[in-house]
Amino acid sequence: MDQQSYEKKIVGEKAAEYIEDGMTVGLGTGSTVAFTTKKLAERIKTEGLSIQAVSTSHATSELAKSLGIPLKDLNDVKKIDLTIDGCDEFDPDLNGIKGGGGALLFEKIVAVSSDKNIWVADASKSVRRLGAFPLPVEVLPFGWKHMFGAMEDKGLQPKLRMSGKDPFLTDSRNFILDCHVKEIEDAKSLAKWLNALPGVVENGLFINIADQVLLANNDKVDVITR
């Protein structure tokens, strides 16, 4: 296991310790949260932990089901006590970019439905300013080239995400335009501008959402609180 994979493992497993008996838990998407999900399944079996989970993607649902974690539809729960998710980048204010795995829409809906959000991150995810990681924007397939053009005119350098020879499809059957901004000066204003474009479903800027970040630091985990 390389260093980055090791960091994902220790921070992902550490996050599972924050889950308490009786909770409704949001399970995020990605390789780091996969370690959380597996550790949670282990706790359910060894400790008799009683929880129910809401998934943020088809991939997470399949993993949770395979491990015997009870899943609920978001519409069938009143609230989520805690959501644990990954991030592609986060800044000192705990704002972040998410959506590298294409699940940003469901992730954001689950996040804003949660009392508390914890992100798990390896050392590479901590940045001074957001933007080095391409910003995903989920758009309707209908008229996507017009949204592409508007983003291009704004200097966002969008690129249609592909899966082989075809456009990548999200779980909602939408496209993703990855914006190569490099450095975002005003994330809040950019998020507002993007979501005002007709046809944009959601953007990957997660602002004032994370309450804590568990950050891998070699062999230990640092807890950063907003």
Side-chain angles (χ1 to χ4, degrees):
M1 182 179 290
D2 61 25
Q3 180 62 26
Q4 186 178 39
S5 297
Y6 172 72
E7 289 181 355
K8 290 181 177 183
K9 182 176 188 294
I10 63 170
V11 77
E13 291 184 347
K14 179 67 176 179
E17 297 178 11
Y18 287 74
I19 298 170
E20 300 175 1
D21 194 64
M23 275 188 170
T24 297
V25 181
L27 293 178
T29 300
S31 55
T32 308
V33 183
F35 286 111
T36 306
T37 305
K38 292 172 184 176
K39 190 67 175 180
L40 173 59
E42 180 183 311
R43 289 192 62 198
I44 290 172
K45 291 178 182 177
T46 60
E47 301 174 27
L49 194 68
S50 177
I51 61 99
Q52 57 184 6
V54 173
S55 168
T56 58
S57 68
H58 294 333
T60 297
S61 294
E62 289 304 310
L63 177 60
K65 288 176 184 176
S66 72
L67 296 170
I69 297 174
L71 290 178
K72 300 285 286 186
D73 188 280
L74 180 57
N75 288 319
D76 295 331
V77 301
K78 290 184 178 180
K79 67 170 185 174
I80 298 172
D81 297 297
L82 169 65
T83 288
I84 298 171
D85 206 348
C87 63
D88 297 304
E89 282 185 343
F90 75 93
D91 67 15
D93 295 321
L94 303 196
N95 295 317
I97 288 179
K98 290 171 48 57
L104 63 129
L105 175 60
F106 289 179
E107 287 174 337
K108 191 171 282 190
I109 293 171
V110 169
V112 300
S113 303
S114 304
D115 285 346
K116 184 176 182 179
N117 285 277
I118 294 176
W119 289 350
V120 288
D122 63 79
S124 69
K125 304 300 191 295
S126 177
V127 298
R128 182 184 65 82
R129 181 175 286 182
L130 301 176
F133 190 91
L135 171 63
V137 182
E138 186 162 343
V139 300
L140 294 175
F142 180 81
W144 72 268
K145 289 185 179 179
H146 292 270
M147 291 163 261
F148 182 99
M151 294 177 202
E152 195 170 44
D153 289 345
K154 195 170 176 65
L156 301 181
Q157 301 184 56
K159 184 176 181 181
L160 178 65
R161 189 180 297 187
M162 303 295 290
S163 178
K165 295 181 179 180
D166 299 313
F168 173 88
L169 290 177
T170 68
D171 285 355
S172 299
R173 312 300 289 178
N174 294 317
F175 292 172
I176 286 184
L177 301 179
D178 289 306
C179 295
H180 297 256
V181 188
K182 295 184 180 178
E183 193 167 283
I184 299 172
E185 293 186 7
D186 189 338
K188 189 174 182 179
S189 294
L190 179 57
K192 185 177 180 180
W193 183 87
L194 286 167
N195 280 2
L197 281 178
V200 168
V201 180
E202 190 51 80
N203 72 83
L205 286 166
F206 281 57
I207 300 169
N208 296 328
I209 286 179
D211 298 289
Q212 287 183 324
V213 172
L214 304 186
L215 178 65
N217 182 1
N218 293 317
D219 291 332
K220 63 188 183 74
V221 175
D222 293 334
V223 180
I224 306 170
T225 302
R226 177 160 61 91

